[in-house]
Amino acid sequence: MIQLLANWILSFDILSGMGNSVAWGLSLFVVAALIFVFVALNAIVLVYIERKVSAFMQVRLGPMRVGKFGTLQTVADALKLLQKEDIIPKMADKVLFVVGPWVILVASVVTFAAIPFSDTLLAANMNIGLFYVVSISSIVVLGIVMSGWASNNKWSLYGAMRSAAQIISYEIPVGITLIAVVAVVGSLNLQTIIEAQGGTSNLFHWIPIPLPNWFIFHNPFLFMAAFVYLIGATAEINRTPFDIPESESELVAGFMTEFSGLRWALFFLSEYANATLVAFLVAIVFLGGWQSPFADYRGTQIGFSIITLVAIMWTLFVRAKTSRLSVYPVGLSLVITISAWLFPGFAIWMASPGIFWMLMKVGTIIFMLMWFRWTFPRLRVDQLMYVSWKVLLPLALINLMGVAIWMWLTGEIQF
Amino acid sequence: MSYFSNISSAITTLIDGMKVTLGYFVRPREHVTLQYPDEVWPIPTRNIGVGEIESYNTIRSKLVVDFEDCIGCKACERACPVNCIHIETFKAGPEEDIGTTKNGTKIKLRVTSFTIDMSECMFCDLCTHPCPEDCIRMTPDYQFISNDNVKLDVTPEERWRDRDHLIYQFSKVFPIERAQRQAEAEKVAEAKAAAMEAKKAAAERAASEKAAEQALEIETLTATPMESVASEAPVVTESPEVPVDQAQTTSSTLDRAPIEDDMVRVNLSMEIPVTPDIPVETPPSSEATAEPETSTDTEDSSKGETENG
């Protein structure tokens, strides 16, 4: 994408004199700015959605006063945070206190350089993309420890220490589950991983139900690995139920106790950037990334017909009560089905890979993360370690072994 | 095997919890939030008391006075156990017709100020019963907040309700009018006293000079004091110095008087009108005289410094 942008800049007669390297640097800057803007806007939207989701789950309404249905609430909050006084505690380590939030933010923003949004839309097509993303996102713990130590506050230090212990523990099952996927594909390139998931196949290759050839449906071990990865990644980004680094009832606000204003906003920004990153990784590695769930336009028509039929039956017979879930999605799927049968062009567009499917999958995963957050109670510190070392790590190892054996038995990999 | 049963029970209970939250998520219309200023709970109409009087059995909140019916008897002020009602009255002139109440009673007292401090009121309902005209009553209106008085640049006429939102001024007499009426009342009293004195003097003189039998001089002498008394008001407006003094005296008395009693908070917010000539003219003149001197001083000093430097 950077080279494409550079070529586009050089294609103008006026700008062609600047030279290839200058154009390349300029387009690099533009792409970096685009990624940062994406992360910032993403945080603003996600905070609003999270507040609404939590409100609905707790039988509340959420923000309603700023803008229609409170849509401008997060914008107002962001403006408020920008205007706040920049406070550095007297006894804090000033250098680390200032640098810490930026380390966290940079670590979470830079990972988006390797994330493919569609088959053409990505900043850098790296051959070690998966490794890059996993390793760079681990730098976040450095920033957390820096800001926790610099605050010179016992709550902050406890939070930072817990965060370090937690992230280091959960890196291991998460890494091993990703290795299982890499064993199937044989590549660390994220684009290659997504391209390997195109088309349709039977469920686990032998149950005759046609399904998209995503890795979550590839074999039973990868199906389990997807959930192991989701749980481990939830812990890695410090979200509830694994939010002991910033547990309000125990540690005030954990490592961000002493922060306010813009620096606190940076923590928030990186938190939602990390959540989005995890959702992207789950979508890329297990759910086929930008691949459409339908093989061709015929598949789109039949697939949406089945979905609509099931939704209507479910609404009529299982859930007679009127609810938002039964009215709007059923109507939407009905409209999509009818238009897919009437206009083949629409069906072909639905079957073709693109950013639409990527964002749909990412949105679903982010909703699941929010769902987790507003349902589950927080784990104790020892329970957290128990889950990581005694449950997830054995499961991940079993999955890795199982995937290897499966690949050997089905003959997809020759030893 | 407690390890595997632990894991399986964890998974099942987590799925149960997720079902519950998803169920609430898809039914957002069952929310419990009340969007307060837009929608309010209905006021309960049930019988909350044991008394026979109707007003006692409903919600008692904000006090309201039908001011047109107030005769200024101060019965409610005396009944109030927390002294939150303050009434100021003075007697109307003999020919002055203020009006009658809805019960047909003639109002004999001008009520210049009728304030209720709602921050002190304890909603006991004791003030409503002694009222002979049934003009003070409790209403179920519980919303004391208002943004009427948020703007601070309102004129005194607009600010008849206090800025603290909780001191309610029910008399329709605004501070300006109140001061004017007080001045009028003083004038009337003075005029009365002067007339009485003049009458007395005239009677005495008439009595003494009847005996002396000097008819022409007596008539002229008696006529002058009576005329001056009758035409005091127009004379005052014509001469520029006299009303200024009068207004100042009245305003200063108004300023000082409330500090001694409980009316401090009420009166602090009221701007009692002083004639605008004196305070407006003096400050600019002093500033105008002060400013050039200081500027010249600074210029000179700066010049001197630069020269020295």
Side-chain angles (χ1 to χ4, degrees), chain A residues 18-131:
Chain A
M18 65 168 57
N20 195 24
S21 58
V22 177
W24 198 83
L26 191 68
S27 47
L28 196 71
F29 182 79
V30 168
V31 168
L34 278 177
I35 286 173
F36 187 78
V37 166
F38 167 77
V39 167
L41 291 181
N42 176 54
I44 284 177
V45 174
L46 281 190
V47 169
Y48 172 72
I49 292 174
E50 172 128 43
R51 291 179 68 173
K52 276 294 185 189
V53 166
S54 70
F56 288 162
M57 284 180 176
Q58 296 169 351
V59 208
R60 293 185 286 115
L61 279 177
M64 288 292 281
R65 313 294 304 181
V66 187
K68 187 74 175 167
F69 299 119
T71 38
L72 297 176
Q73 181 67 54
T74 340
V75 180
D77 287 348
L79 290 177
K80 182 204 76 175
L81 285 175
L82 287 177
Q83 291 169 15
K84 284 184 93 169
E85 187 189 353
D86 182 23
I87 298 173
I88 296 176
K90 198 178 170 186
M91 301 300 284
D93 188 330
K94 296 203 171 43
V95 177
L96 289 185
F97 194 85
V98 171
V99 171
W102 287 104
V103 170
I104 296 176
L105 182 73
V106 167
S108 46
V109 170
V110 161
T111 45
F112 280 90
I115 295 290
F117 288 79
S118 80
D119 45 359
T120 52
L121 194 66
L122 83 164
N125 191 3
M126 299 182 200
N127 55 357
I128 52 159
L130 191 60
F131 178 68

Side-chain angles (χ1 to χ4, degrees), chain B residues 84-302:
Chain B
C84 70
I85 305 175
H86 302 285
I87 305 171
E88 272 184 16
T89 57
F90 66 88
K91 225 174 184 178
E95 294 89 25
E96 210 172 353
D97 182 28
I98 307 174
T100 55
T101 65
K102 63 172 182 257
N103 292 351
T105 318
K106 199 180 178 219
I107 302 174
K108 291 171 181 172
L109 291 169
R110 268 194 192 282
V111 183
T112 51
S113 164
F114 192 125
T115 60
I116 298 175
D117 191 346
M118 273 295 164
S119 59
E120 287 183 3
C121 180
M122 63 182 206
F123 312 106
C124 61
D125 205 24
L126 289 178
C127 54
T128 66
H129 302 302
C131 185
E133 302 297 327
D134 292 335
C135 71
I136 183 167
R137 58 198 164 81
M138 304 208 92
T139 57
D141 181 13
Y142 58 89
Q143 299 180 342
F144 285 84
I145 195 161
S146 73
N147 47 12
D148 299 354
N149 304 315
V150 169
K151 46 179 183 178
L152 294 171
D153 53 345
V154 290
T155 57
E157 282 88 347
E158 285 172 311
R159 213 192 296 168
W160 64 278
R161 250 165 68 175
D162 190 69
R163 70 185 146 77
D164 294 324
H165 309 301
L166 287 171
I167 299 172
Y168 290 90
Q169 167 72 265
F170 287 99
S171 74
K172 300 289 186 297
V173 184
F174 300 127
I176 289 178
E177 205 182 341
R178 191 179 153 212
Q180 282 175 353
R181 288 195 182 177
Q182 206 136 341
E184 272 175 28
E186 279 175 14
K187 268 182 221 162
V188 169
E190 280 173 17
K192 234 181 217 173
M196 289 291 285
E197 278 179 16
K199 235 178 209 175
K200 238 183 225 172
E204 282 173 6
R205 272 186 193 180
S208 60
E209 286 169 4
K210 231 178 199 176
E213 294 180 0
Q214 294 175 344
L216 285 169
E217 288 177 9
I218 292 164
E219 280 176 13
T220 51
L221 279 168
T222 48
T224 40
M226 288 298 284
E227 274 175 13
S228 68
V229 166
S231 62
E232 199 180 348
V235 165
V236 160
T237 46
E238 279 168 16
S239 62
E241 292 171 10
V242 180
V244 168
D245 292 336
Q246 272 193 348
Q248 270 187 329
T249 49
T250 52
S251 64
S252 60
T253 49
L254 276 171
D255 274 334
R256 277 171 211 155
I259 297 167
E260 290 148 19
D261 60 23
D262 293 336
M263 294 288 292
V264 180
R265 268 159 298 136
V266 180
N267 280 302
L268 280 176
S269 66
M270 293 173 177
E271 291 182 2
I272 284 129
V274 187
T275 42
D277 298 340
I278 297 160
V280 172
E281 276 186 11
T282 42
S285 61
S286 62
E287 282 173 20
T289 50
E291 272 178 6
E293 288 174 8
T294 51
S295 60
T296 47
D297 283 340
T298 49
E299 277 174 15
D300 291 340
S301 60
S302 61

Side-chain angles (χ1 to χ4, degrees), chain A residues 125-146:
Chain A
N125 191 3
M126 299 182 200
N127 55 357
I128 52 159
L130 191 60
F131 178 68
Y132 169 82
V133 169
V134 170
S135 54
I136 294 290
S137 62
S138 300
I139 297 179
V140 170
V141 71
L142 187 66
I144 288 175
V145 171
M146 277 166 78

